[in-house]
Amino acid sequence: MQKIVFFLLLFPLILFSQETTPKKLKVGLVLSGGGAKGLAHVGVLKVLEKSGVQIDYVGGTSMGAIIGSLYASGYSATQIDSIVHTFDFNEVMKDEFPRKSKPYYEKVNGEKYAISLPIHKRKVGLPKALSSGQRVFDLLTKLTRHVHHIHDFSKLPIPFYCLATNLETGKPVLLNKGFLPEAVRMSGAFPTLLEPVEYDGMLLSDGGIVNNFPIDEMIAMGADIIIGVDVQGDLSKKEDLNSAVDIVNQIVSFQMYKDNKEKNEKVHLYMHPDIYNYSVVSFDKLDEIIEKGEVAANELQTSFTALANKQRQLGIQQKKQHVALQYSGKRLVNSIGISGNKDYTRAYIMGKLNIKTNDSISYESFIEGINNLSATGNFQSILHQFNKHQISLRLKENPITSQFKISPHYDDLYKTAVLLNFTTKHILSKNDILSTDLVVGDNIRYQLNYFIDNGFYWSYGIHSTYNAFNATMSFDAAATNKDKVDYQDLSNQIYFQTVFGRRYALGVGLEHKLLRVFTKTVSITNNEIKNYLDKSNYLNFISYLKIDTYDKPYFQTSGVLVDVNFRWYLLSSNYRNDFYSFSQLQGKVGYAHSFSNKLTALFTTSAGFTIGVNNNPVLDYSLGGFGGNYIANFIPLHGYDIADLNNSSFLKSTFDIRYEIFNKNYLEAGVHVARSTNDIYNQGKIFDNTKYGLALGYGLETFIGPVQFHYTWSPDVNKNWYFNIGFWF
């Protein structure tokens, strides 16, 4: 029986090969699109290689184009299997760049918004897709670096083509020339997941929209035998259409499946792995899907063996697929070509790349620079090549220059708040950004930032903020007489800043500050009387050094934070009639370290010193409370209410430990130890009159920011519960 089956499978191949000229038995491999389901192609390739079949042409669409391009550029099936296991598909698809790649301005001002919506032609819209696709392109560029010099895909180790869809005409576009990573990126631009790409006057998206199984193109290339791997599914039932991705995939599938039967009849060796229980985003089932491909290919093992034997009889030997994966070592960069930049200067771009001409850099450092440039969000696409001693960048600036952002928040001090933001770029100058925050709720606040980023050179900006809250507190060092205090701070700064290595920011500037701090009483005639503790204008010199290598803005697992501020109070309108010029130096150093993928410790020490004579307790350091958005000299301290400790100097250390009980859910515990005094050194007795507080809590990481419940205790005050939801602002 096995001999009969073997003959039936082998006969068409022998017959077909006899009709062709010897040594011209060309075998073409066609790989369909299917998102995560397309990873089954890797399993098929492994079986084909093991069988000894020589592939002469490769064609594909979407994920088939991605896997096919790697094989066509020289990788073995085993190498491709290793490659797809080394990165997180979900992270790549969502353009989640490491936090270290973000501009320092973004770390300080941009990590507080839950929703960002583009503004185009004065209308608020929706993003084109979940991701711009830049990370996908970067990955493809790195993996195909060894064939960047080849612009005719027929000259690749295995001739290759892929298909995209022209969104204007609805017609397929054959891509067999150009820059390989760009072509594959266009072929794989799955609707809603990856943005379409503008190319040669066309707007191109996923080729699977009109031709997900490009068989006729393979016939046109001259293939005698066609091996086809079809990972398309069936149309979904109505009860399974539960998301936008499901619905778009269903719509796209109408065209995909329309001419399936006709195409399948043109395939000599057809495989359809059993991937019906997987979706286009089932990247977490990687091993299972690859195995499904191997199972499907093994069912045709006899035919593959017969085909390989016939190729050997004709003198056709299987090529050894292998690409050296090492990118170690540094190269001297003699020239850096940049094109496509209109609103961003060369200095800005070079500053983000952190590269200078005649520098020696590694490929890994170059990719880090590309990540930095991508993370700005200022570029729709960044096509890059690093060949020998030359770097070439072809940029397409993001046409969306304005955004509307929103974020909700609640905490025990500021109460309910909603942050509304308008951000726009290129309003006055190249490289500039204007951001305005308006916080509406129980305490109205605002913040305005205008910043011109000059890359390697000194940048400068304007910062204005108004902050207000009311709380029961005291500015008395003993905190014995607490009153309901209204605190209002209006600050305006002009500053110059330079950034080193994207992590270290050094700045200097001038600040105007208006403080209005008062309590309220009611007269015998029922008139409200404001009793001012301070109502002064101040002119200050400011400077700062900031280092931030934390991996996340909240729930950090690694990194270092250094935040040092110097403020010199030069002049005052002197409402209290007791002002003398003085200065304050305040700093914080934090270190996060993970002992496992679940357990993290965060150690922080901070201190503040007053240099000179300050007669105004409002300007002293006030410790107590729980919060991530305290202003001025307010310092949080477990176990104490806001401003329970008030003095001209302080020293504080914290140790927090966090355990992730399950994904993005944390148990938290911490101890805060502090001294608040006029003499922080106290003649060497720095542990005298030390205060401490403890906290236990639960934290949840959400798209709107952290959600936290904390129970705190200290021996001096009553126990406190604290609750917050959303990003701090």
Side-chain angles (χ1 to χ4, degrees):
M1 184 67 181
Q2 288 181 342
K3 290 184 178 179
I4 295 175
V5 174
F6 177 79
F7 176 77
L8 291 175
L9 292 169
L10 181 61
F11 180 75
L13 301 178
I14 296 175
L15 181 63
F16 195 93
S17 66
Q18 288 175 342
E19 295 175 357
T20 61
T21 305
K23 296 188 179 182
K24 288 191 177 181
L25 181 61
K26 298 295 185 181
V27 178
L29 175 65
V30 180
L31 307 176
S32 82
K37 297 181 290 185
L39 295 170
H41 297 319
V42 180
V44 172
L45 287 173
K46 291 166 71 174
V47 174
L48 281 173
E49 275 194 2
K50 187 176 180 181
S51 302
V53 175
Q54 166 61 39
I55 301 298
D56 299 290
Y57 308 114
V58 176
T61 296
S62 198
M63 182 59 79
I66 293 174
I67 301 298
S69 68
L70 296 179
Y71 197 66
S73 65
Y75 286 100
S76 68
T78 301
Q79 285 182 307
I80 297 174
D81 183 78
S82 298
I83 288 169
V84 298
H85 278 88
T86 56
F87 56 87
D88 185 334
F89 279 93
N90 290 318
E91 181 180 313
V92 172
M93 295 290 286
K94 290 187 291 186
D95 272 355
E96 290 186 352
F97 294 95
R99 186 170 182 264
K100 67 179 181 180
S101 298
K102 290 185 177 181
Y104 190 81
Y105 175 90
E106 184 70 16
K107 291 179 183 178
V108 174
N109 300 293
E111 297 179 325
K112 55 188 176 184
Y113 306 111
I115 299 173
S116 296
L117 300 174
I119 299 175
H120 184 58
K121 295 182 179 179
R122 299 183 180 180
K123 294 181 180 180
V124 178
L126 294 173
K128 290 183 179 179
L130 178 65
S131 165
S132 69
Q134 185 63 45
R135 290 285 311 267
V136 174
F137 174 79
D138 292 344
L139 180 63
L140 290 168
T141 300
K142 179 178 180 180
L143 293 173
T144 60
R145 181 184 172 197
H146 58 290
V147 293
H148 282 184
H149 61 288
I150 299 175
H151 297 282
D152 181 348
F153 300 165
S154 67
K155 306 299 182 184
L156 290 169
I158 300 176
F160 170 78
Y161 68 87
C162 60
L163 261 68
T165 299
N166 186 328
L167 289 180
E168 281 190 299
T169 64
K171 294 181 179 179
V173 177
L174 179 67
L175 302 171
N176 55 13
K177 288 182 173 61
F179 189 42
L180 182 61
E182 184 179 20
V184 176
R185 158 71 179 89
M186 292 186 288
S187 180
F190 189 86
T192 73
L193 293 182
L194 298 177
E195 288 185 4
V197 179
E198 288 189 33
Y199 175 77
D200 198 21
M202 299 177 288
L203 186 63
L204 301 184
S205 189
D206 195 300
I209 297 173
V210 292
N211 190 349
N212 200 44
F213 201 25
I215 300 297
D216 292 334
E217 290 76 10
M218 182 58 73
I219 295 173
M221 283 192 77
D224 301 315
I225 302 293
I226 296 178
I227 301 172
V229 188
D230 183 3
V231 294
Q232 301 171 116
D234 290 330
L235 291 173
S236 300
K237 304 297 183 183
K238 62 182 181 181
E239 57 269 19
D240 296 324
L241 299 174
N242 300 315
S243 70
V245 173
D246 293 335
I247 294 171
V248 171
N249 191 41
Q250 181 87 338
I251 295 170
V252 171
S253 298
F254 294 155
Q255 178 67 26
M256 287 184 185
Y257 304 149
K258 186 175 67 173
D259 53 359
N260 262 9
K261 184 176 180 181
E262 179 184 343
K263 287 185 177 181
N264 295 348
E265 290 175 351
K266 298 177 182 180
V267 178
H268 301 93
L269 294 172
Y270 175 79
M271 284 162 280
H272 196 303
D274 181 16
I275 39 73
Y276 294 102
N277 292 327
Y278 304 95
S279 74
V280 294
V281 291
S282 296
F283 293 107
D284 57 326
K285 307 294 184 182
L286 170 65
D287 290 320
E288 294 178 22
I289 296 173
I290 291 176
E291 185 179 0
K292 294 292 185 182
E294 292 185 62
V295 170
N298 281 326
E299 293 177 359
L300 294 178
Q301 181 65 64
T302 303
S303 296
F304 293 151
T305 301
L307 177 57
N309 289 336
K310 187 61 183 177
Q311 286 179 318
R312 283 191 288 270
Q313 291 175 12
L314 295 173
I316 302 171
Q317 298 297 320
Q318 184 183 26
K319 294 180 182 178
K320 296 297 182 181
Q321 299 279 109
H322 183 78
V323 175
L325 296 176
Q326 290 79 15
Y327 295 99
S328 59
K330 293 186 176 182
R331 291 186 180 184
L332 178 66
V333 178
N334 290 332
S335 66
I336 302 174
I338 301 174
S339 63
N341 57 309
K342 180 183 68 173
D343 292 317
Y344 295 94
T345 63
R346 180 181 177 89
Y348 172 88
I349 295 166
M350 298 288 281
K352 299 305 176 200
L353 292 173
N354 200 27
I355 299 172
K356 294 182 179 179
T357 304
N358 297 321
D359 275 355
S360 292
I361 66 166
S362 65
Y363 188 78
E364 288 74 16
S365 296
F366 172 64
I367 292 299
E368 281 188 13
I370 294 296
N371 286 345
N372 302 335
L373 197 57
S374 301
T376 64
N378 294 328
F379 300 93
Q380 192 173 52
S381 65
I382 304 170
L383 303 186
H384 51 85
Q385 296 186 51
F386 189 0
N387 293 324
K388 295 183 179 179
H389 304 294
Q390 297 179 330
I391 289 176
S392 174
L393 297 179
R394 182 154 51 96
L395 309 175
K396 182 173 180 56
E397 294 180 354
N398 194 336
I400 303 298
T401 59
S402 299
Q403 289 182 307
F404 173 71
K405 305 176 184 181
I406 187 170
S407 200
H409 181 80
Y410 174 85
D411 69 75
D412 296 290
L413 177 63
Y414 288 96
K415 307 303 180 183
T416 303
V418 176
L419 171 60
L420 306 175
N421 171 270
F422 173 72
T423 297
T424 189
K425 301 175 181 180
H426 326 314
I427 187 169
L428 296 176
S429 171
K430 292 184 177 181
N431 311 340
D432 74 353
I433 179 171
L434 172 67
S435 175
T436 57
D437 288 344
L438 175 63
V439 180
V440 295
D442 292 309
N443 292 277
I444 302 295
R445 292 170 279 155
Y446 87 81
Q447 184 175 128
L448 180 146
N449 287 288
Y450 178 74
F451 185 65
I452 298 178
D453 189 338
N454 289 319
F456 283 123
Y457 305 108
W458 279 89
S459 304
Y460 49 93
I462 297 171
H463 174 79
S464 178
T465 181
Y466 172 75
N467 204 308
F469 62 87
N470 57 78
T472 300
M473 58 183 177
S474 171
F475 291 105
D476 179 359
T480 53
N481 299 310
K482 290 188 176 183
D483 291 304
K484 192 75 170 179
V485 175
D486 284 78
Y487 190 99
Q488 299 173 2
D489 181 321
L490 173 64
S491 296
N492 301 292
Q493 298 175 350
I494 181 169
Y495 63 94
F496 296 85
Q497 175 180 290
T498 185
V499 176
F500 303 95
R502 303 173 305 279
R503 300 186 182 118
Y504 321 123
L506 176 66
V508 296
L510 290 175
E511 174 188 65
H512 162 260
K513 181 183 289 286
L514 169 62
L515 284 181
R516 292 166 55 92
V517 183
F518 55 88
T519 62
K520 296 176 183 177
T521 58
V522 179
S523 69
I524 58 175
T525 58
N526 289 325
N527 292 322
E528 185 180 78
I529 301 174
K530 294 181 179 180
N531 305 299
Y532 283 95
L533 303 176
D534 195 8
K535 189 182 178 183
S536 302
N537 288 277
Y538 297 92
L539 177 64
N540 309 322
F541 169 81
I542 58 171
S543 63
Y544 57 85
L545 171 66
K546 299 179 185 290
I547 302 172
D548 186 355
T549 67
Y550 280 155
D551 60 332
K552 297 189 291 184
Y554 305 97
F555 304 111
Q556 301 89 358
T557 61
S558 64
V560 172
L561 174 71
V562 176
D563 188 354
V564 180
N565 296 276
F566 177 76
R567 177 174 279 104
W568 184 2
Y569 290 85
L570 298 171
L571 300 170
S572 172
S573 60
N574 202 9
Y575 172 80
R576 296 168 51 93
N577 295 316
D578 57 1
F579 175 80
Y580 297 94
S581 179
F582 70 97
S583 57
Q584 290 180 326
L585 177 64
Q586 181 180 340
K588 177 170 68 173
V589 177
Y591 173 68
H593 177 75
S594 291
F595 298 96
S596 68
N597 60 352
K598 297 288 186 181
L599 183 64
T600 300
L602 179 64
F603 176 77
T604 305
T605 185
S606 53
F609 306 92
T610 298
I611 305 168
V613 177
N614 170 33
N615 296 311
N616 185 354
V618 170
L619 299 178
D620 281 342
Y621 297 102
S622 299
L623 280 65
F626 179 90
N629 58 352
Y630 281 3
I631 63 167
N633 291 346
F634 289 89
I635 314 296
L637 181 65
H638 285 341
Y640 292 83
D641 287 326
I642 185 169
D644 269 354
L645 305 178
N646 184 269
N647 228 310
S648 61
S649 298
F650 80 95
L651 181 64
K652 172 190 165 189
S653 293
T654 71
F655 180 76
D656 297 291
I657 193 163
R658 183 173 60 249
Y659 184 80
E660 188 173 12
I661 50 177
F662 47 92
N663 187 37
K664 297 185 178 181
N665 286 258
Y666 307 91
L667 292 178
E668 300 176 303
V671 55
H672 287 194
V673 180
R675 289 186 68 243
S676 177
T677 178
N678 284 324
D679 181 9
I680 202 69
Y681 296 106
N682 195 27
Q683 297 180 343
K685 300 176 183 179
I686 61 173
F687 297 105
D688 282 1
N689 198 29
T690 297
K691 308 294 184 180
Y692 68 91
L694 306 175
L696 290 174
Y698 171 82
L700 174 64
E701 200 171 355
T702 74
F703 82 97
I704 63 171
V707 177
Q708 294 172 295
F709 302 86
H710 280 87
Y711 174 76
T712 69
W713 174 88
S714 76
D716 298 328
V717 298
N718 294 327
K719 305 173 182 67
N720 293 308
W721 281 97
Y722 292 103
F723 169 68
N724 68 276
I725 181 170
F727 295 111
W728 291 97
F729 48 77

